[in-house]
Amino acid sequence: MASDHTRSAILAAAERLYADRGFGDVTLRDIVAEANVNLAAVNYHFGSKDELIAELFVTRSLATNRERLNDLKAAEEAGGGRASIEAIMHALVGPTLRGCLGPDREGSTAARFMIRASIESVPPIRRIKNREVDHLRKFVAAMRRSLPGRDDAELYWGLHFALAMSHHTIREKERLTKLSEGQCDLNDVNAIVERVVTVSVMALTGGEPARKAPARSMAPPYGRLTRQDL
């Protein structure tokens, strides 16, 4: 029981410090001082700083991914096995945006930690993101059912861009507030979700890109230069 308490204290202290100061500026000694444990306890429970960061990120990511998949399942059940593309995009981006934005969430340690994880590309988090993609494959499968006949590559790009919009909005919310002089309300999380979903759906259903006009021949008529060619 004491061992579980020590482990929890280390995780809580590390999350607070990483959320406040970032991954590069926090040492293991900072964490053990904050948690009031010894360095051997960190090595015993986690082995290294990277493993500690990885466990924190996985714990928070699992909660988000579980919410995503639950929302997706509900959308598909409501649609008789085939959810609308709008509902799929809501399930994909809603949990991430609601988890990190808004006055009720963004001040929390968990939200600030995940924002740090989005901003700072540290190796242990990068490795997890690149490895853990199975839940995203379920979204692509749902998109395939929603948009039959659509090229798979377009579905992957659509999912990728939807996630990119969500993460960029979270990372750069202060810049957007300053740029728009407060006109863009970053506290209205439902409206943000709707905007990301709308743009994502438009990208996936807006039809084929316009064909490029054929390039005009650079050769002058009859092989002679005219004033218009100069």
Short mmCIF file of all heavy atoms in Angstrom, two decimals, residues 169-198:
data_model
loop_
_atom_site.label_atom_id
_atom_site.label_comp_id
_atom_site.label_asym_id
_atom_site.label_seq_id
_atom_site.Cartn_x
_atom_site.Cartn_y
_atom_site.Cartn_z
N THR A 169 -4.93 24.31 -32.66
CA THR A 169 -5.79 25.22 -31.93
C THR A 169 -5.44 25.22 -30.45
O THR A 169 -5.41 26.28 -29.81
CB THR A 169 -7.27 24.82 -32.11
OG1 THR A 169 -7.60 24.86 -33.50
CG2 THR A 169 -8.20 25.76 -31.35
N ILE A 170 -5.15 24.05 -29.90
CA ILE A 170 -4.78 23.96 -28.49
C ILE A 170 -3.43 24.64 -28.24
O ILE A 170 -3.27 25.41 -27.29
CB ILE A 170 -4.73 22.48 -28.06
CG1 ILE A 170 -6.13 21.89 -28.05
CG2 ILE A 170 -4.07 22.34 -26.68
CD1 ILE A 170 -6.17 20.38 -27.94
N ARG A 171 -2.47 24.37 -29.11
CA ARG A 171 -1.11 24.92 -28.92
C ARG A 171 -1.07 26.43 -29.08
O ARG A 171 -0.35 27.11 -28.37
CB ARG A 171 -0.14 24.29 -29.93
CG ARG A 171 0.24 22.86 -29.63
CD ARG A 171 1.45 22.46 -30.45
NE ARG A 171 1.20 22.59 -31.88
CZ ARG A 171 0.79 21.61 -32.67
NH1 ARG A 171 0.56 20.42 -32.16
NH2 ARG A 171 0.61 21.80 -33.96
N GLU A 172 -1.81 26.95 -30.05
CA GLU A 172 -1.67 28.35 -30.43
C GLU A 172 -2.87 29.21 -30.05
O GLU A 172 -3.14 30.23 -30.68
CB GLU A 172 -1.45 28.44 -31.95
CG GLU A 172 -0.25 27.66 -32.46
CD GLU A 172 1.07 28.20 -31.96
OE1 GLU A 172 1.11 29.33 -31.43
OE2 GLU A 172 2.08 27.48 -32.08
N LYS A 173 -3.57 28.82 -29.00
CA LYS A 173 -4.78 29.57 -28.64
C LYS A 173 -4.46 31.01 -28.22
O LYS A 173 -5.23 31.93 -28.52
CB LYS A 173 -5.55 28.85 -27.54
CG LYS A 173 -4.81 28.64 -26.24
CD LYS A 173 -5.62 27.76 -25.30
CE LYS A 173 -4.90 27.54 -23.98
NZ LYS A 173 -4.77 28.78 -23.19
N GLU A 174 -3.34 31.21 -27.54
CA GLU A 174 -2.99 32.56 -27.11
C GLU A 174 -2.67 33.45 -28.31
O GLU A 174 -3.06 34.62 -28.35
CB GLU A 174 -1.80 32.52 -26.15
CG GLU A 174 -2.15 31.88 -24.81
CD GLU A 174 -0.96 31.86 -23.87
OE1 GLU A 174 0.08 32.46 -24.20
OE2 GLU A 174 -1.09 31.22 -22.81
N ARG A 175 -1.99 32.89 -29.30
CA ARG A 175 -1.68 33.67 -30.50
C ARG A 175 -2.95 34.03 -31.25
O ARG A 175 -3.09 35.14 -31.75
CB ARG A 175 -0.71 32.91 -31.40
CG ARG A 175 -0.28 33.74 -32.62
CD ARG A 175 0.85 33.11 -33.38
NE ARG A 175 0.43 31.90 -34.08
CZ ARG A 175 1.17 31.33 -35.05
NH1 ARG A 175 2.34 31.84 -35.38
NH2 ARG A 175 0.75 30.24 -35.64
N LEU A 176 -3.88 33.08 -31.35
CA LEU A 176 -5.13 33.35 -32.05
C LEU A 176 -5.93 34.43 -31.33
O LEU A 176 -6.52 35.31 -31.97
CB LEU A 176 -5.96 32.07 -32.17
CG LEU A 176 -7.33 32.21 -32.84
CD1 LEU A 176 -7.19 32.78 -34.24
CD2 LEU A 176 -8.04 30.87 -32.88
N THR A 177 -5.94 34.39 -30.00
CA THR A 177 -6.64 35.41 -29.23
C THR A 177 -6.05 36.78 -29.50
O THR A 177 -6.78 37.77 -29.72
CB THR A 177 -6.56 35.09 -27.72
OG1 THR A 177 -7.18 33.83 -27.48
CG2 THR A 177 -7.27 36.16 -26.91
N LYS A 178 -4.72 36.86 -29.51
CA LYS A 178 -4.05 38.14 -29.77
C LYS A 178 -4.26 38.60 -31.20
O LYS A 178 -4.54 39.77 -31.47
CB LYS A 178 -2.55 38.02 -29.47
CG LYS A 178 -1.79 39.33 -29.62
CD LYS A 178 -0.34 39.17 -29.20
CE LYS A 178 0.41 40.51 -29.32
NZ LYS A 178 1.83 40.37 -28.89
N LEU A 179 -4.12 37.67 -32.15
CA LEU A 179 -4.27 38.01 -33.56
C LEU A 179 -5.67 38.52 -33.85
O LEU A 179 -5.83 39.51 -34.58
CB LEU A 179 -3.98 36.77 -34.42
CG LEU A 179 -4.20 36.90 -35.93
CD1 LEU A 179 -3.20 37.89 -36.52
CD2 LEU A 179 -4.06 35.54 -36.60
N SER A 180 -6.68 37.88 -33.29
CA SER A 180 -8.07 38.27 -33.57
C SER A 180 -8.55 39.38 -32.65
O SER A 180 -9.69 39.81 -32.75
CB SER A 180 -8.98 37.05 -33.40
OG SER A 180 -9.06 36.65 -32.04
N GLU A 181 -7.66 39.85 -31.75
CA GLU A 181 -8.01 40.87 -30.76
C GLU A 181 -9.25 40.47 -29.97
O GLU A 181 -10.15 41.27 -29.71
CB GLU A 181 -8.21 42.23 -31.45
CG GLU A 181 -6.94 42.73 -32.11
CD GLU A 181 -7.10 44.08 -32.80
OE1 GLU A 181 -8.25 44.42 -33.16
OE2 GLU A 181 -6.10 44.79 -32.96
N GLY A 182 -9.29 39.19 -29.61
CA GLY A 182 -10.36 38.68 -28.78
C GLY A 182 -11.63 38.30 -29.52
O GLY A 182 -12.59 37.84 -28.90
N GLN A 183 -11.65 38.47 -30.84
CA GLN A 183 -12.87 38.15 -31.59
C GLN A 183 -13.11 36.65 -31.67
O GLN A 183 -14.26 36.20 -31.79
CB GLN A 183 -12.79 38.74 -33.00
CG GLN A 183 -12.77 40.25 -33.04
CD GLN A 183 -12.69 40.78 -34.45
OE1 GLN A 183 -13.65 40.72 -35.22
NE2 GLN A 183 -11.52 41.28 -34.81
N CYS A 184 -12.05 35.86 -31.64
CA CYS A 184 -12.19 34.41 -31.63
C CYS A 184 -12.28 33.94 -30.18
O CYS A 184 -11.32 34.09 -29.41
CB CYS A 184 -11.00 33.75 -32.33
SG CYS A 184 -10.90 34.12 -34.09
N ASP A 185 -13.43 33.41 -29.81
CA ASP A 185 -13.69 33.04 -28.42
C ASP A 185 -13.15 31.64 -28.15
O ASP A 185 -13.75 30.65 -28.56
CB ASP A 185 -15.20 33.10 -28.16
CG ASP A 185 -15.54 32.86 -26.69
OD1 ASP A 185 -14.60 32.63 -25.89
OD2 ASP A 185 -16.74 32.91 -26.36
N LEU A 186 -12.03 31.57 -27.46
CA LEU A 186 -11.42 30.28 -27.16
C LEU A 186 -12.05 29.61 -25.94
O LEU A 186 -11.66 28.50 -25.59
CB LEU A 186 -9.92 30.45 -26.94
CG LEU A 186 -9.01 30.39 -28.18
CD1 LEU A 186 -9.08 29.04 -28.86
CD2 LEU A 186 -9.33 31.49 -29.18
N ASN A 187 -13.01 30.28 -25.31
CA ASN A 187 -13.72 29.67 -24.19
C ASN A 187 -14.96 28.92 -24.64
O ASN A 187 -15.49 28.11 -23.88
CB ASN A 187 -14.11 30.74 -23.15
CG ASN A 187 -12.91 31.26 -22.39
OD1 ASN A 187 -11.97 30.53 -22.12
ND2 ASN A 187 -12.93 32.53 -22.04
N ASP A 188 -15.43 29.21 -25.85
CA ASP A 188 -16.61 28.53 -26.38
C ASP A 188 -16.16 27.23 -27.06
O ASP A 188 -16.00 27.17 -28.28
CB ASP A 188 -17.35 29.44 -27.36
CG ASP A 188 -18.72 28.89 -27.74
OD1 ASP A 188 -18.98 27.70 -27.46
OD2 ASP A 188 -19.53 29.64 -28.31
N VAL A 189 -15.94 26.20 -26.25
CA VAL A 189 -15.35 24.97 -26.76
C VAL A 189 -16.27 24.27 -27.75
O VAL A 189 -15.81 23.72 -28.76
CB VAL A 189 -14.98 24.02 -25.60
CG1 VAL A 189 -14.31 22.76 -26.13
CG2 VAL A 189 -14.06 24.73 -24.61
N ASN A 190 -17.57 24.29 -27.50
CA ASN A 190 -18.51 23.64 -28.42
C ASN A 190 -18.44 24.27 -29.80
O ASN A 190 -18.50 23.57 -30.82
CB ASN A 190 -19.93 23.71 -27.87
CG ASN A 190 -20.14 22.80 -26.68
OD1 ASN A 190 -19.47 21.78 -26.53
ND2 ASN A 190 -21.06 23.17 -25.80
N ALA A 191 -18.30 25.60 -29.83
CA ALA A 191 -18.20 26.29 -31.12
C ALA A 191 -16.90 25.93 -31.83
O ALA A 191 -16.86 25.80 -33.07
CB ALA A 191 -18.30 27.80 -30.93
N ILE A 192 -15.81 25.77 -31.07
CA ILE A 192 -14.53 25.38 -31.66
C ILE A 192 -14.64 23.98 -32.27
O ILE A 192 -14.18 23.74 -33.39
CB ILE A 192 -13.41 25.42 -30.60
CG1 ILE A 192 -13.18 26.86 -30.12
CG2 ILE A 192 -12.12 24.83 -31.16
CD1 ILE A 192 -12.27 26.96 -28.92
N VAL A 193 -15.25 23.07 -31.53
CA VAL A 193 -15.44 21.71 -32.04
C VAL A 193 -16.23 21.76 -33.34
O VAL A 193 -15.87 21.09 -34.33
CB VAL A 193 -16.16 20.82 -31.00
CG1 VAL A 193 -16.52 19.46 -31.61
CG2 VAL A 193 -15.30 20.63 -29.77
N GLU A 194 -17.30 22.56 -33.37
CA GLU A 194 -18.12 22.65 -34.57
C GLU A 194 -17.33 23.19 -35.76
O GLU A 194 -17.48 22.73 -36.89
CB GLU A 194 -19.34 23.54 -34.32
CG GLU A 194 -20.38 22.93 -33.41
CD GLU A 194 -20.96 21.63 -33.95
OE1 GLU A 194 -21.07 21.48 -35.18
OE2 GLU A 194 -21.27 20.75 -33.12
N ARG A 195 -16.46 24.17 -35.50
CA ARG A 195 -15.65 24.74 -36.59
C ARG A 195 -14.70 23.70 -37.15
O ARG A 195 -14.55 23.56 -38.38
CB ARG A 195 -14.85 25.95 -36.08
CG ARG A 195 -15.70 27.20 -35.86
CD ARG A 195 -14.85 28.36 -35.37
NE ARG A 195 -15.66 29.53 -35.10
CZ ARG A 195 -16.08 30.40 -36.01
NH1 ARG A 195 -15.72 30.20 -37.28
NH2 ARG A 195 -16.81 31.44 -35.69
N VAL A 196 -14.03 22.97 -36.28
CA VAL A 196 -13.07 21.95 -36.74
C VAL A 196 -13.81 20.85 -37.50
O VAL A 196 -13.35 20.40 -38.56
CB VAL A 196 -12.27 21.38 -35.55
CG1 VAL A 196 -11.41 20.20 -36.01
CG2 VAL A 196 -11.40 22.45 -34.92
N VAL A 197 -14.95 20.43 -36.98
CA VAL A 197 -15.73 19.39 -37.65
C VAL A 197 -16.20 19.87 -39.02
O VAL A 197 -16.10 19.15 -40.02
CB VAL A 197 -16.93 18.96 -36.78
CG1 VAL A 197 -17.91 18.10 -37.59
CG2 VAL A 197 -16.44 18.20 -35.56
N THR A 198 -16.70 21.10 -39.08
CA THR A 198 -17.21 21.63 -40.35
C THR A 198 -16.13 21.67 -41.42
O THR A 198 -16.35 21.23 -42.56
CB THR A 198 -17.78 23.05 -40.14
OG1 THR A 198 -18.89 22.98 -39.23
CG2 THR A 198 -18.26 23.66 -41.45
#
